[in-house]
Amino acid sequence: MSDTAKLNIDGTSYDLPVVVGTEGDRAMDIRKLRQTTGYVCLDDGFANTGSCESAITFVDGEKGILRYRGIPIQQLATQSTFVETCWLLIYGELPTREQLKAWSGLFTKYEMIHEGLYHHFDGFPSTGHPMAILSAMINAMSCYEPGLMEMEDASTFQVSAARLISKLRTIAAAAYKASIGQPIVYPKPHLDYCTNFLHMMFSIPYGDYEPEPEIVAALQLILILHADHEQNCSSSTVRMVASSGANLFASCAAGVCALWGPLHGGANAAVVEMLQYLHDNKVDLKDYIARVKDKNDPLRLMGFGHRVYKTYDPRANIMKATADKLLAKVKGNDPLLEIAKRLEDVALKDKYFIDRNLYPNVDFYSGVILRAMGIPVNMFTVIFAMGRMPGWIANWKEQYDSGGALYRPRQIYTGQSERDYTPIAERGTSDCLAPKVSKKGRPYCELK
Ligand code: CMC
């Protein structure tokens, strides 16, 4: 194959170097495009844009392949732990026994949060969404770690990374406790990462929670499966914020905000809400599928479709098998799992889904598992964030180490050409002068 691509603009031919990845993926290098041609590329949603070169995670959306640092997700899911996977993603190799011991030791050392941080929880209303609290608390954490704002050496980075991953579970569980009006539970140093989180979530002052091993294993699996996914919306956000020179805490707090949206990490909660709605209202699944296909209806089948996967998401397969196993052990039948399976069956036989290559994604079954573990729906995306943290950190590090350029896309301006300022007295009147009230009682100004 050619190592240059030819571009013809107005009769002039330009050679664009072709960049080839280790798995054969090919890109036209347009880094000098504007400088040499005056043109930019238009690619809203960036579906055709490689924003960086990265050695962290490989996804082949056509073949349904996902590998962290070269290792297939199926192997990590069955043989690794979340703590080990964090090291792998961040440092590129599986840790030796000694490295793993030291790394786990850091997680134990930093599991407590500064006592001052606990007071922040009092400032949030009990209705505050845990993702808002999580993002705010990660930023607040940086105020207590001024020495970690500058990456002076490799140890500053390692301590920051370990603090973030370790303390995130403490903050997440504390946010939950604050939201239900229970006292915050402190971590226990002898517990492993997942058991410790479950302890802080579900222990009460007069009774320690001792989770079934299957529940701990399911949490471990969920965290591993979510740990990275190349240039997804939140990881790209982290890299974009990092590209301005912002510190690790600020960049990851931004990642939490990006993850929150229902088209990204918020989909796991949206799936369970959808299944609950279908169950409670005894909705005919064929009718529901007809609605999600209707272009006049904004409804989408949550947990279906993916920007990159055009086949079954490999993580969804693993999730489905785990949902079956876990429910059989701890909950018996869950009607929502049955609805999910029937819904999948109807969708996968439907021409609309076949033509558009829409398959279940990681979120389709994860919510059912989290529900079986007793995790409340508004904490689902928080668990996703806990899982994705090592991926964000690995991407932050890669961006930082590469001395990568400031992320600053161009645009094609489609607004007004130059015009003069009109004094307010000469602008006429509009309906906006009579504010309206929305159905929910909110005053607003309708624009015409
Ligand atoms: N239900 C119904 N129609 C869909 C769906 C869906 N879930 N997903 C895509 N489509 C249709 C869409 O309407 C469009 O149809 P047409 O070509 O007729 O206009 C076509 O499929 C392509 O959709 P798109 O929005 O251009 O595709 P995309 O690659 O930009 O979207 C997506 C990817 C994940 C945003 C989308 O599939 C979606 O909204 N899914 C539901 C939300 C969801 O489950 N998100 C979790 C994603 S995986 C975890 C993560 O990344 O965090």
Side-chain angles (χ1 to χ4, degrees), residues 103-124:
W103 184 233
S104 305
L106 287 181
F107 283 22
T108 305
K109 181 171 177 190
Y110 296 127
E111 65 190 7
M112 296 272 288
I113 55 174
H114 191 288
E115 206 51 33
L117 270 171
Y118 283 113
H119 300 302
H120 290 244
F121 290 106
D122 298 336
F124 296 107

Side-chain angles (χ1 to χ4, degrees), residues 320-335:
K320 188 178 180 183
T322 307
D324 273 330
K325 244 186 359 211
L326 184 70
L327 280 149
K329 170 78 187 170
V330 303
K331 202 165 181 241
N333 281 343
D334 182 351

Side-chain angles (χ1 to χ4, degrees), residues 103-175:
W103 184 233
S104 305
L106 287 181
F107 283 22
T108 305
K109 181 171 177 190
Y110 296 127
E111 65 190 7
M112 296 272 288
I113 55 174
H114 191 288
E115 206 51 33
L117 270 171
Y118 283 113
H119 300 302
H120 290 244
F121 290 106
D122 298 336
F124 296 107
S126 59
T127 48
H129 196 287
M131 285 298 275
I133 298 175
L134 199 67
S135 160
M137 292 298 280
I138 292 174
N139 251 329
M141 231 166 93
S142 70
C143 305
Y144 293 84
E145 319 279 3
L148 299 177
M149 292 304 98
E150 299 292 327
M151 283 299 148
E152 281 158 15
D153 51 28
S155 74
T156 325
F157 168 76
Q158 190 170 94
V159 166
S160 304
R163 278 179 188 247
L164 256 174
I165 300 171
S166 182
K167 289 177 195 295
L168 194 65
R169 65 189 155 161
T170 313
I171 291 173

Side-chain angles (χ1 to χ4, degrees), residues 259 262-265 267 292 295 299-307 310 315 352-353 356 358 361-363 384:
L259 186 72
L263 296 188
H264 188 15
V292 301
K295 289 289 162 219
L299 198 68
R300 284 195 163 197
L301 184 56
M302 299 312 285
F304 254 72
H306 197 277
R307 172 62 63 80
K310 300 303 164 200
R315 301 166 300 173
Y352 174 97
F353 289 86
R356 290 168 181 75
L358 300 171
N361 59 49
V362 66
D363 292 316
F384 193 152

Side-chain angles (χ1 to χ4, degrees), residues 338-352:
E338 295 314 311
I339 293 176
K341 285 184 181 172
R342 276 173 32 224
L343 202 53
E344 177 189 335
D345 206 42
V346 176
L348 291 184
K349 289 187 185 124
D350 192 295
K351 191 172 171 338
Y352 174 97

Side-chain angles (χ1 to χ4, degrees), residues 151-219:
M151 283 299 148
E152 281 158 15
D153 51 28
S155 74
T156 325
F157 168 76
Q158 190 170 94
V159 166
S160 304
R163 278 179 188 247
L164 256 174
I165 300 171
S166 182
K167 289 177 195 295
L168 194 65
R169 65 189 155 161
T170 313
I171 291 173
Y176 171 61
K177 286 293 192 190
S179 76
I180 57 168
Q182 281 188 9
I184 283 164
V185 175
Y186 284 73
K188 285 190 172 171
H190 66 278
L191 297 178
D192 64 69
Y193 188 91
C194 293
T195 313
N196 213 347
F197 170 68
L198 293 166
H199 152 70
M200 289 187 277
M201 280 286 289
F202 299 122
S203 288
I204 43 177
Y206 51 88
D208 270 359
Y209 170 76
E210 279 167 25
E212 302 272 357
E214 289 80 6
I215 290 190
V216 179
L219 178 60

